[in-house]
Amino acid sequence: MKKALLALIALLVIGLAGAYAIVHLAFPKAAQPRAGKVDSSPARIERGKYLFDVIAGCADCHSVVDPTRFALPVVPGGYAKGKQFPPGGEGVQVAPNLTSDPATGAGRWSDGHLIRAIREGIGHDGRPLFPGMPYSEYAHMSDEDVESIVAYIRTIPPSVNSLPASRITFPMSIIMRLVPSPVAAVPPVSKADPAAYGAYLTKISGCQFCHTPFVKGQTIKEKLFAGGHEFETAPGIRAVSVNLTPEPKTGIGSMSEAQFLDKFYQYKEYAEKGSPAIRPELNTVMPWLGLARMDPAGHKAI
Ligand code: HEC
Ligand code: HEC
């Protein structure tokens, strides 16, 4: 009896070790970064900056922000230089320095490395990225848009900021190896089709990512836009996103289009002139300062 039990335990251990080895060897699924440089032009750089600051929220996560001011504005000198997030249940996430500093920033990473990291979740060093970097949403980003972002990133002046690597705890450190996935060419979405363009924007601007429950590194696909994604706004303080489905009581079904748009426009002045002081525990992670600057056609499409 005892022998059988020991054999069973031994089998179990071998099985687990085997599964661990397979996940380690076979994942992450990573394609080679593409070679060459993206074409840069003033129009692409402008579009890239708009995506980086306003639509895709890159600047929010990859900059040092002020938790004592409404909607976490970037601090002077803190733009794109990366930061460490407060430790959470899944370890410590560090958003890297994306300025062109060669030693501590993205200066030595190739354009192909950047595109692969943004859409496919593989770091320049080949590591799988923690899916808190919303690459599963950016996987929908068109080639034109991701190349514009890269063209813009190359223009950000170097800022020296040495940061440690992310430290994700077990078992998430293993589970997250399954998330990255190669992306084929993505054609642009026409602005002339507001429903398709709106759907595109809700993915690349993080509405879907932040307004859908997020459990163990995965967006819960059955509950898209139902709210319930939790965030730590200050140490020990949690914010939960709201339901954006048309459900009238808990969602936004009873809100008119004008009321919905006003939510964004009311913060335009803060976005332009700076936002007021707020107690950190009352602050919000909803990126109002960026989203208030979205062009009206984009807001209406959303
Ligand atoms: C919600 C926060 C968040 C947003 C939004 C975000 N990032 Fe990240 N990003 C991170 C974190 C955290 C990491 C590090 C993940 C890790 O180390 O596992 C990361 C990693 C990266 C990397 C990998 C760097 C390397 O080591 O190769 C690049 C490049 C990057 N982000 C660019 C962007 C760009 C461009 C955008 C906007 C399109 C963006 N990020 C939006 C949080 C974010
Ligand atoms: C970084 C995460 C994040 C992103 C990205 C995000 N939201 Fe939010 N949003 C939140 C959270 C959290 C709340 C909950 C209330 C709060 O903290 O202010 C919220 C609140 C809201 C509200 C309710 C406002 C109110 O006062 O009733 C609306 C409407 C909304 N978001 C729409 C959007 C849309 C549309 C997008 C995409 C363009 C978006 N959000 C992107 C996290 C996010």
Side-chain angles (χ1 to χ4, degrees), residues 51-52 56-62 85 93-96 98 109 113-114 117-118 122-125 127-130 132-134 138 141 149 153 165-166 168 176 209:
L51 290 164
F52 194 93
C58 321
D60 298 319
C61 281
H62 285 270
F85 288 91
Q93 293 182 57
V94 180
L98 296 180
W109 309 342
H113 281 137
L114 287 172
I118 297 166
I122 302 290
H124 68 286
D125 47 4
R127 75 186 192 286
L129 299 179
F130 180 68
M133 154 79 192
Y138 300 149
M141 198 181 275
I149 289 182
I153 287 177
S166 297
I168 307 300
M176 69 184 232
F209 176 73

Side-chain angles (χ1 to χ4, degrees), residues 32-72:
Q32 283 300 317
R34 55 178 246 197
K37 278 184 159 305
V38 307
D39 290 330
S40 187
S41 68
R44 270 198 161 180
I45 291 170
E46 194 190 327
R47 170 80 182 158
K49 178 171 171 55
Y50 176 66
L51 290 164
F52 194 93
D53 292 350
V54 174
I55 302 281
C58 321
D60 298 319
C61 281
H62 285 270
S63 302
V64 183
V65 296
D66 184 351
T68 69
R69 298 202 162 268
F70 177 76
L72 313 169

Side-chain angles (χ1 to χ4, degrees), residues 55-57 60-61 70 201-202 205-211 225 229-231 233 239-244 252 255 260 263-264 266-267 282-288 291 294 299 302:
I55 302 281
D60 298 319
C61 281
F70 177 76
L201 288 177
T202 60
S205 72
C207 329
Q208 177 173 294
F209 176 73
C210 283
H211 284 273
F225 296 106
H229 190 147
E230 286 191 23
F231 300 89
T233 47
V240 181
S241 64
V242 299
N243 181 349
L244 291 184
I252 60 168
M255 211 189 260
F260 182 78
K263 293 252 172 225
F264 293 87
Q266 65 181 328
Y267 299 116
L282 299 178
N283 215 340
T284 178
V285 296
M286 170 68 195
W288 294 116
L291 293 177
M294 188 185 285
H299 276 139
I302 284 179

Side-chain angles (χ1 to χ4, degrees), residues 28-292:
K29 280 192 262 164
Q32 283 300 317
R34 55 178 246 197
K37 278 184 159 305
V38 307
D39 290 330
S40 187
S41 68
R44 270 198 161 180
I45 291 170
E46 194 190 327
R47 170 80 182 158
K49 178 171 171 55
Y50 176 66
L51 290 164
F52 194 93
D53 292 350
V54 174
I55 302 281
C58 321
D60 298 319
C61 281
H62 285 270
S63 302
V64 183
V65 296
D66 184 351
T68 69
R69 298 202 162 268
F70 177 76
L72 313 169
V74 173
V75 302
Y79 185 75
K81 71 195 276 190
K83 66 161 173 264
Q84 178 165 331
F85 288 91
E90 274 138 7
V92 181
Q93 293 182 57
V94 180
N97 180 347
L98 296 180
T99 71
S100 47
D101 182 56
T104 67
R108 287 214 191 96
W109 309 342
S110 72
D111 290 358
H113 281 137
L114 287 172
I115 292 174
R116 188 177 66 167
I118 297 166
R119 291 201 303 198
E120 306 179 14
I122 302 290
H124 68 286
D125 47 4
R127 75 186 192 286
L129 299 179
F130 180 68
M133 154 79 192
Y135 55 85
S136 305
E137 305 290 323
Y138 300 149
H140 303 278
M141 198 181 275
S142 69
D143 298 346
E144 176 61 32
D145 279 350
V146 77
E147 289 177 21
S148 299
I149 289 182
V150 171
Y152 170 63
I153 287 177
R154 297 312 192 191
T155 69
I156 303 174
S159 180
V160 179
N161 188 24
S162 182
L163 291 163
S166 297
R167 295 177 301 282
I168 307 300
T169 45
F170 181 84
M172 180 46 79
S173 56
I174 297 299
I175 297 170
M176 69 184 232
R177 301 182 75 84
L178 305 175
V179 187
S181 177
V183 170
V186 184
V189 175
S190 167
K191 285 190 190 169
D193 180 350
Y197 189 57
Y200 177 66
L201 288 177
T202 60
K203 292 187 184 101
I204 68 164
S205 72
C207 329
Q208 177 173 294
F209 176 73
C210 283
H211 284 273
T212 300
F214 186 73
V215 182
K216 297 200 188 318
Q218 300 275 3
T219 292
I220 307 300
K221 299 250 158 46
E222 296 73 38
K223 296 208 160 167
L224 289 182
F225 296 106
H229 190 147
E230 286 191 23
F231 300 89
E232 185 148 298
T233 47
I237 312 287
R238 308 219 125 223
V240 181
S241 64
V242 299
N243 181 349
L244 291 184
T245 67
E247 206 284 319
K249 286 213 187 66
T250 62
I252 60 168
S254 55
M255 211 189 260
S256 70
E257 181 173 321
Q259 283 170 327
F260 182 78
L261 295 177
D262 271 347
K263 293 252 172 225
F264 293 87
Y265 296 140
Q266 65 181 328
Y267 299 116
K268 247 191 161 146
E269 198 179 324
Y270 292 171
E272 279 152 17
K273 299 189 184 137
S275 64
I278 185 169
R279 294 217 312 271
E281 65 270 27
L282 299 178
N283 215 340
T284 178
V285 296
M286 170 68 195
W288 294 116
L289 303 178
L291 293 177

